[in-house]
Amino acid sequence: MAFGAGVVLMGSAANAANLSIVSGDTGNGLAVLREQLDIFEKNTGNKVTIVPMPSSTSDQFGQYKLWLAAGNSDIDVYQTDVIWAPQLSEQLLDLTDATKDVVGAHFPSIIESQTVNGKLVALPIFTDAPALYYRKDLLEKYGKQPPKTWDELAVTAKEVQDKEREAGSKDIWGFVWQGNSYEGLTCNALEWVKSNGGGQIIEADGSISINNPQAAAALDRAKGWVNTISPPGVLAYQEEEARGVWQTGNAVFMRNWPYAFGLGNGADSAVKGKFDVVPLPAGSGEGAKSAATLGGWNLAVSKYSKSPKEAIELVKFVASPEMQKLKALKASNLPTIQALYDDADIAKDQPIIPRWKEVFQNAVPRPSAPAKVKYNEVSSNFWTATHDTLSGNGSAADNLEMLEAKLTKLKGAGW
């Protein structure tokens, strides 16, 4: 299939720009980005260098803030997390006028998430929400169904794990997820809390809601997984560590993002053809339902770029339907362009993508909108309280009470 044919860009070697783009993508994301950039270079005569970053979003954000604060003109385009728009907006170009011909094709809620005070600061390139990956073969072997609740997950994971170990699979665990002290733990723990009727840490009106019994119960439940159905090392896992265990065939269940689906079905994967996904489980009690933290990535242009016109061209190119389709097919990333969910090639090669719509119906945003520029501190305090609880350093109830006090102080007179 010829990609790029529908995207015509003009350029010549005489006025070619040398651009740089920063990305900390996981899996084969950087390789796919390079493929997209090669097409852009061929079409325009511009050159684009990728500046790779650590895969930890917290580390990326810290580095971005340093570069932007220093007025660094070496970086033209930043790949940004859905939650960063309010915090970085002052140092990014307003893309509103330049993209008015294309924004209508994207999910309105995603465009809205990248709009700060009426200024579009980034254009989406893919969206994200996690799901529960499960081993079809193992659940069938033991007559189990994919779990609908976290309690069911724990019971099924333990039973299958124990039986598989008895049968000789000594390294298998029931459930792998992201327990390291970073933004990924905020995503996991928000799902546990929200799915248990415990709110969203900070509600849309700015009120701090995290210190409640349902939230504490959700964290206590997760603490019970460590070293029973989840390896003790899970407290240092990010996305790739969880995928590593899963893809070698050593986990019954995994919580991860869509990118792991295509890789799990790769030629070198021990679980190729043996797994499927369902929405994440619900908690228990009043208000319990499945919840999946909304993720997604965007491209923003630094206001310090020496080639802003070409940088905006690059952003529009990578965000285009043709390039989002390429990314969907090669990296199983979810498009932000609505029409691609009905694309026949995507449905055939990545049947997972049309089915992810159900996951999106349960998507929950992190409280970056109410917390505004203080979101990063909110998240850091939340993942620290969660990590302390999971590590046995204080009870969930005590840690959430202390968290509420810290967030109240951070909020001050208002977010």
Side-chain angles (χ1 to χ4, degrees):
M1 181 178 301
F3 284 100
V7 183
V8 180
L9 295 169
M10 303 304 291
S12 68
N15 61 3
N18 286 310
L19 301 169
S20 59
I21 184 170
V22 191
S23 174
D25 218 338
T26 43
N28 65 344
L30 285 179
V32 174
L33 176 60
R34 184 68 260 170
E35 194 176 331
Q36 294 172 320
L37 298 178
D38 289 347
I39 299 168
F40 177 78
E41 289 183 344
K42 193 173 161 200
N43 285 2
T44 63
N46 297 319
K47 291 279 171 244
V48 191
T49 304
I50 298 177
V51 179
M53 294 291 291
S55 61
S56 162
T57 50
S58 307
D59 292 347
Q60 287 172 45
F61 183 74
Q63 183 61 65
Y64 285 16
K65 282 212 303 189
L66 288 175
W67 277 333
L68 289 165
N72 184 334
S73 61
D74 296 337
I75 307 296
D76 300 285
V77 176
Y78 287 90
Q79 187 164 316
T80 59
D81 196 337
V82 69
I83 56 172
W84 295 343
Q87 300 166 84
L88 301 178
S89 64
E90 292 301 311
Q91 283 148 320
L92 302 173
L93 288 186
D94 184 357
L95 303 178
T96 308
D97 284 346
T99 61
K100 59 178 181 287
D101 56 330
V102 297
V103 289
H106 297 263
F107 286 113
S109 59
I110 299 174
I111 294 294
E112 192 183 321
S113 75
Q114 298 309 296
T115 303
V116 181
N117 299 326
K119 168 180 158 184
L120 182 67
V121 297
L123 196 60
I125 52 170
F126 66 93
T127 187
D128 233 354
L132 182 70
Y133 288 68
Y134 69 95
R135 285 283 299 276
K136 280 191 300 192
D137 57 334
L138 294 179
L139 264 57
E140 281 168 17
K141 182 175 173 182
Y142 298 107
K144 301 291 181 186
Q145 292 298 315
K148 291 272 201 302
T149 67
W150 292 114
D151 291 336
E152 279 174 32
L153 179 142
V155 170
T156 302
K158 185 83 167 75
E159 189 177 325
V160 176
Q161 167 191 292
D162 291 352
K163 286 182 173 170
E164 282 296 290
R165 285 180 181 177
E166 282 165 25
S169 298
K170 298 291 180 206
D171 296 327
I172 199 162
W173 286 93
F175 183 37
V176 290
W177 37 281
Q178 296 77 44
N180 201 343
S181 220
Y182 77 123
E183 184 66 28
L185 181 54
T186 288
C187 294
N188 280 257
L190 175 57
E191 288 154 6
W192 307 333
V193 169
K194 177 70 173 172
S195 71
N196 211 47
Q200 290 173 231
I201 311 167
I202 297 169
E203 301 309 309
D205 64 1
S207 59
I208 298 161
S209 61
I210 188 59
N211 184 19
N212 66 76
Q214 290 103 308
L219 298 192
D220 281 331
R221 178 191 286 126
K223 179 187 175 183
W225 300 335
V226 181
N227 211 15
T228 57
I229 58 170
S230 302
V234 79
L235 296 180
Y237 281 15
Q238 295 184 20
E239 283 78 4
E240 288 290 79
E241 289 80 11
R243 183 173 73 85
V245 174
W246 166 260
Q247 212 165 296
T248 50
N250 287 317
V252 184
F253 296 106
M254 171 178 72
R255 179 264 184 211
N256 218 327
W257 305 89
Y259 88 97
F261 193 89
L263 295 168
N265 277 319
D268 60 345
S269 171
V271 295
K272 182 181 178 183
K274 296 179 178 176
F275 69 90
D276 208 342
V277 296
V278 287
L280 290 166
S284 52
E286 198 178 333
K289 59 177 192 200
S290 175
T293 301
L294 185 65
W297 289 83
N298 314 273
L299 291 182
V301 178
S302 166
K303 78 173 189 187
Y304 310 109
S305 169
K306 290 174 185 155
S307 305
K309 180 173 160 287
E310 292 83 358
I312 290 171
E313 240 178 47
L314 172 60
V315 166
K316 289 181 75 172
F317 177 81
V318 178
S320 70
E322 293 81 4
M323 291 302 105
Q324 288 210 12
K325 180 171 177 175
L326 185 149
K327 203 155 175 54
L329 292 172
K330 300 210 167 175
S332 50
N333 285 149
L334 303 175
T336 64
I337 290 172
Q338 302 185 64
L340 291 176
Y341 284 83
D342 302 315
D343 183 277
D345 297 324
I346 291 175
K348 179 171 169 285
D349 284 14
Q350 294 284 357
I352 186 66
I353 287 178
R355 286 183 40 219
W356 222 273
K357 271 188 169 174
E358 188 187 351
V359 174
F360 273 123
Q361 286 162 356
N362 305 312
V364 53
R366 283 164 278 176
S368 54
K372 303 189 178 79
V373 295
K374 297 177 183 174
Y375 171 75
N376 223 48
E377 285 176 89
V378 169
S379 184
S380 174
N381 279 310
F382 177 59
W383 82 55
T384 301
T386 299
H387 199 271
D388 283 346
T389 303
L390 298 173
S391 309
N393 182 10
S395 70
D398 288 348
N399 287 334
L400 292 185
E401 193 176 330
M402 283 190 291
L403 174 62
E404 182 184 40
K406 283 180 184 170
L407 295 184
T408 302
K409 189 177 174 190
L410 180 64
K411 180 181 179 181
W415 298 110

